[in-house]
């Protein structure tokens, strides 16, 4: 876990820097300078863009992680592997763009009643999705050569910092909302360009136009894998974004804005998990190449426990500060919707505890079953959203996401246990959850202090001491104990 821990630490720091900027944008600046309709539109555009870019990639992002170790060469040309995956991605983008243009009337009809403003910005999706696709492609290559920190900085920090600048320009009336949308497209182009330049100057990759170095049967092999990955990852990302898209279609774009606020707050729970995932996927792929199942099983167990601890800690801290978050939002339309966070938070807890189950499946010889589970995730999510959103609105979408996430993870857990003899859970997971429940009950019942800052600090510190302190005391996680002990030594509180 040494390499994982070191790089994950850097990625976690970057993620939390991005979290600060995201909180500044979403909880403050968007709310102050944009109408709820404009904020809802931005989030709807982003959701559609993520789905568009994932489908158009034709599975190449995961193909890079899966196959790069087999094509890597010392001359850094890698048998032209990067040429092929880039070409496949661009073909996929061209085909989906054609579909998006030809079927505009049908797509518009789904939004014209509840979110008519989306129709005005219909074609913005095409360049925005194109630049997002390129960034995802180049980021996957960077991950394959173990260069993860810079791309994480671009996505989590620079993109949000430039978004902050754009919002402020709107706030100071230097640009209009229309200009902001174009600016948002430009900064997505910029981060794609910057990660490309990192690869170009890394010394680990040489670009050329040779498409003959890889035998065509090999191209068919990783293209076939890519098609399965397309189904798997497109299904997964559609499910994660379908809630906002369906809210925009079935309820209103204003509720998209409210839902997005609490989704952002809940997403904080997933930050450590995502930081670990960026590092661990290439390691798992390499372990499968060497048939080192013992290493994979060890990573499976360790990451499940540490991700549960970190995710639960963040979840507790946010829930304990419910009234403070609503005070920050300071608008009556947000009151009564905090349950959106609770159910979305539970879904992220489930996913974090499931650990690297998707990564294990998607990089193994049984990768096709990962596709099946993601399709199950999609159908479950869409069906439950259709059931709950018309009745319960945004809260219904959150409930649907939590239930779909549970079905998704329990299915993969059972399959990996049956097929590979690996499973991450133990008695320590139960102890951690029990401590978490006790900490939540304490946190939400703490007396409110009149001073906002003091109240946030004392609640956060108390739940941290109770939760993390208990886990440290009972030594449930070696990785957590090592890290906390190191901090205590640096603070001269322990020898």
């Amino acid at each position: 876990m040494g390499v994982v821990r070191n790089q994950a630490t850097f990625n976690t720091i970057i993620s939390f820097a991005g979290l600060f900027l995201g909180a500044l944008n979403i909880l403050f600046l968007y709310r102050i300078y944009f109408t709820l309709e404009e904020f809802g539109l931005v989030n709807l555009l982003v959701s559609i863009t993520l789905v568009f870019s994932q489908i158009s990639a034709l599975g190449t992002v995961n193909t890079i992680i899966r196959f790069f170790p087999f094509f890597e060469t010392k001359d850094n040309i890698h048998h032209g592997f990067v040429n092929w995956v880039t070409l496949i991605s661009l073909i996929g983008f061209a085909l989906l763009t054609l579909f998006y243009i030809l079927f505009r009337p049908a797509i518009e009809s789904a939004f014209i009643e509840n979110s008519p403003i989306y129709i005005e910005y219909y074609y913005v999706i095409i360049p925005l999705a194109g630049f997002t696709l390129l960034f995802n492609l180049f980021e996957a290559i960077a991950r394959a050569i173990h260069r993860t920190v810079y791309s994480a900085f671009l996505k989590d920090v620079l993109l949000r910092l430039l978004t902050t600048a754009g919002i402020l320009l709107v706030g100071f009336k230097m640009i209009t909302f229309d200009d902001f949308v174009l600016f948002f497209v430009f900064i997505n182009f910029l981060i794609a360009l910057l990660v490309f330049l990192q690869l170009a100057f890394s010394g680990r990759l040489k670009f050329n136009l040779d498409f003959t170095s890889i035998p065509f049967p090999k191209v068919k092999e990783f293209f076939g894998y890519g098609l399965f990955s397309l189904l798997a990852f497109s299904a997964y990302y559609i499910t994660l974004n379908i809630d906002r898209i369906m809210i925009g279609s079935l309820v209103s774009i204003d509720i998209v804005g409210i839902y997005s606020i609490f989704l952002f707050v809940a997403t904080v729970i997933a930050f450590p998990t995502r930081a670990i995932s960026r590092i661990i996927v290439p390691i798992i792929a390499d372990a499968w190449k060497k048939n080192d199942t013992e290493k994979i099983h060890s990573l499976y167990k360790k990451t499940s426990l540490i991700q549960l601890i970190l995710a639960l800690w963040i979840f507790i801290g946010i829930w304990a500060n419910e009234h403070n978050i609503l005070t920050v939002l300071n608008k009556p339309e947000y009151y009564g919707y905090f349950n959106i966070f609770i159910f979305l938070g539970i879904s992220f807890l489930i996913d974090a505890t499931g650990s690297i189950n998707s990564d294990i499946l998607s990089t193994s010889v049984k990768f096709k079953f990962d596709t099946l589970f993601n399709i199950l995730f999609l159908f479950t999510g869409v069906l439950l959203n259709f059931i709950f959103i018309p009745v319960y609105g945004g809260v219904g979408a959150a409930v649907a996401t939590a239930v779909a996430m549970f079905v998704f993870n329990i299915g993969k857990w059972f399959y990996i246990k049956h097929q590979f003899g690996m499973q991450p859970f133990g008695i320590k997971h139960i102890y951690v959850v029990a401590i978490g429940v006790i900490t939540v009950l304490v946190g939400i019942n703490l007396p409110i202090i009149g001073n906002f800052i003091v109240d946030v600090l004392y609640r956060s510190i108390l739940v941290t001491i109770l939760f993390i302190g208990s886990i440290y005391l009972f030594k449930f996680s070696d990785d957590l104990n090592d890290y906390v002990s190191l901090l205590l030594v640096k603070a001269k509180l322990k020898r």
Side-chain angles (χ1 to χ4, degrees):
M1 288 286 286
V3 174
V4 176
R5 187 186 305 150
N6 290 337
Q7 289 200 42
T9 298
F10 283 114
N11 277 286
T12 301
I13 291 170
I14 289 171
S15 293
F16 276 101
L19 168 64
F20 170 78
L21 290 169
L24 176 65
N25 292 342
I26 293 176
L27 300 181
F28 295 97
L29 299 182
Y30 274 124
R31 182 176 55 81
I32 294 170
Y33 296 120
F34 284 29
T35 66
L36 194 54
E37 182 185 47
E38 290 171 340
F39 177 58
L41 173 66
V42 171
N43 282 278
L44 184 61
L45 291 176
V46 169
S47 293
I48 296 173
T49 293
L50 290 174
V51 172
F52 194 116
S53 62
Q54 286 296 324
I55 295 175
S56 61
L58 296 180
T60 51
V61 171
N62 202 49
T63 299
I64 292 168
I65 301 300
R66 174 72 173 84
F67 283 95
F68 186 83
F70 297 95
F71 291 98
E72 189 174 11
T73 58
K74 292 182 179 179
D75 63 5
N76 296 322
I77 296 176
H78 312 303
H79 298 295
F81 175 71
V82 174
N83 299 340
W84 276 107
V85 293
T86 304
L87 178 63
I88 291 169
S89 296
L90 294 177
I91 291 173
F93 178 73
L95 291 174
L96 192 58
T97 298
L98 182 62
F99 175 90
Y100 187 70
I101 293 171
L102 293 178
F103 286 86
R104 177 175 181 175
I107 297 172
E108 284 186 349
S109 66
F111 294 92
I112 192 67
E113 182 178 348
N114 295 311
S115 303
I117 191 175
Y118 162 65
I119 310 306
E120 300 175 31
Y121 298 88
Y122 187 84
Y123 287 115
V124 169
I125 294 294
I126 296 174
L128 191 57
F131 299 138
T132 302
L133 168 65
L134 290 175
F135 179 86
N136 291 341
L137 187 70
F138 298 145
E139 182 192 32
I141 298 170
R143 289 168 64 192
I145 62 175
H146 305 288
R147 302 289 179 90
T148 62
V149 175
Y150 181 66
S151 58
F153 167 78
L154 293 177
K155 187 175 184 178
D156 292 338
V157 177
L158 183 61
L159 180 64
R160 289 174 176 169
L161 186 62
L162 292 174
T163 302
T164 302
I167 298 170
L168 290 175
L169 288 173
V170 174
F172 294 136
K173 302 190 184 303
M174 298 177 68
I175 62 174
T176 65
F177 177 74
D178 286 349
D179 296 329
F180 171 82
V181 173
L182 296 177
F183 177 75
F184 190 71
V185 173
F186 169 75
I187 61 179
N188 276 273
F189 157 75
L190 180 62
I191 64 167
L193 174 63
L194 290 174
V195 75
F196 170 79
L197 292 175
Q198 179 205 21
L199 295 174
F201 291 103
S202 67
R204 295 285 306 277
L205 196 66
K206 292 182 180 177
F207 295 92
N208 60 52
L209 297 177
D210 180 16
F211 289 91
T212 62
S213 298
I214 300 178
F216 189 69
K218 278 290 183 184
V219 176
K220 288 178 63 178
E221 180 184 352
F222 66 70
F223 181 67
Y225 175 83
L227 290 179
F228 275 101
S229 293
L230 166 65
L231 292 173
F233 281 83
S234 294
Y236 182 76
Y237 277 93
I238 289 171
T239 309
L240 292 183
N241 289 277
I242 198 67
D243 45 10
R244 281 169 288 178
I245 296 173
M246 291 180 68
I247 290 170
S249 175
L250 299 173
V251 187
S252 76
I253 204 161
D254 288 0
I255 301 299
V256 174
I258 294 171
Y259 187 87
S260 298
I261 288 277
F262 290 109
L263 175 62
F264 170 78
V265 176
T267 302
V268 177
I269 297 168
F271 269 42
T273 300
R274 292 175 180 176
I276 292 172
S277 180
R278 283 192 180 112
I279 310 302
I280 212 165
V281 175
I283 295 173
I284 296 171
D286 189 60
W288 276 125
K289 178 183 176 183
K290 298 173 182 176
N291 199 30
D292 191 353
T293 55
E294 226 175 274
K295 182 176 184 180
I296 295 171
H297 195 188
S298 175
L299 289 170
Y300 193 19
K301 291 187 289 187
K302 287 185 176 182
T303 53
S304 174
L305 185 59
I306 194 65
Q307 287 178 183
L308 170 62
I309 292 169
L310 295 175
L312 194 51
W313 170 51
I314 297 170
F315 178 71
I316 293 166
I318 294 172
W319 196 350
N321 282 281
E322 173 184 350
H323 64 285
N324 289 321
I325 292 172
L326 294 175
T327 298
V328 168
L329 295 177
N330 195 30
K331 282 189 176 182
E333 53 261 46
Y334 295 108
Y335 291 91
Y337 285 100
F338 193 80
N339 284 342
I340 291 177
F341 160 76
I342 294 174
F343 287 109
L344 288 176
I346 291 171
S347 74
F348 284 118
L349 281 175
I350 293 168
D351 202 39
T353 309
S355 184
I356 52 175
N357 49 26
S358 288
D359 301 325
I360 290 173
L361 275 180
S362 65
T363 55
S364 74
V365 293
K366 299 292 184 179
F367 64 86
K368 294 179 181 180
F369 285 91
D370 188 51
T371 300
L372 295 177
F373 284 115
N374 280 281
I375 292 173
L376 173 65
F377 187 38
L378 173 60
F379 278 109
T380 305
V382 171
L383 176 63
L384 292 174
N385 273 300
F386 266 121
I387 293 171
F388 290 119
I389 288 177
V391 180
Y392 301 108
V395 176
V399 172
T401 299
V403 175
M405 190 66 78
F406 176 77
V407 173
F408 177 58
N409 277 276
I410 202 70
K412 287 186 295 181
W413 166 81
F414 180 81
Y415 181 79
I416 292 173
K417 184 177 185 296
H418 174 74
Q419 185 67 42
F420 301 116
M422 303 178 191
Q423 80 91 18
F425 305 128
I427 191 66
K428 291 180 179 179
H429 286 74
I430 297 175
Y431 293 149
V432 169
V433 171
I435 293 171
V437 171
I438 294 170
T439 308
V440 164
L441 293 175
V442 171
I444 62 178
N445 287 292
L446 288 171
I448 297 174
I449 295 176
N451 185 287
F452 173 81
I453 295 176
V454 173
D455 190 71
V456 170
L457 288 175
Y458 109 90
R459 287 173 179 277
S460 303
I461 291 171
L462 281 180
V463 296
T464 296
I465 292 173
L466 179 57
F467 182 67
I468 299 296
S470 298
I471 292 171
Y472 177 78
L473 182 65
F474 291 109
K475 299 180 180 179
F476 290 146
S477 169
D478 293 337
D479 289 298
L480 179 72
N481 273 52
D482 290 345
Y483 192 74
V484 173
S485 294
L486 180 63
L487 292 178
L488 292 175
V489 169
K490 288 183 176 181
K492 298 182 180 180
L493 297 175
K494 181 180 179 180
R495 293 183 179 180

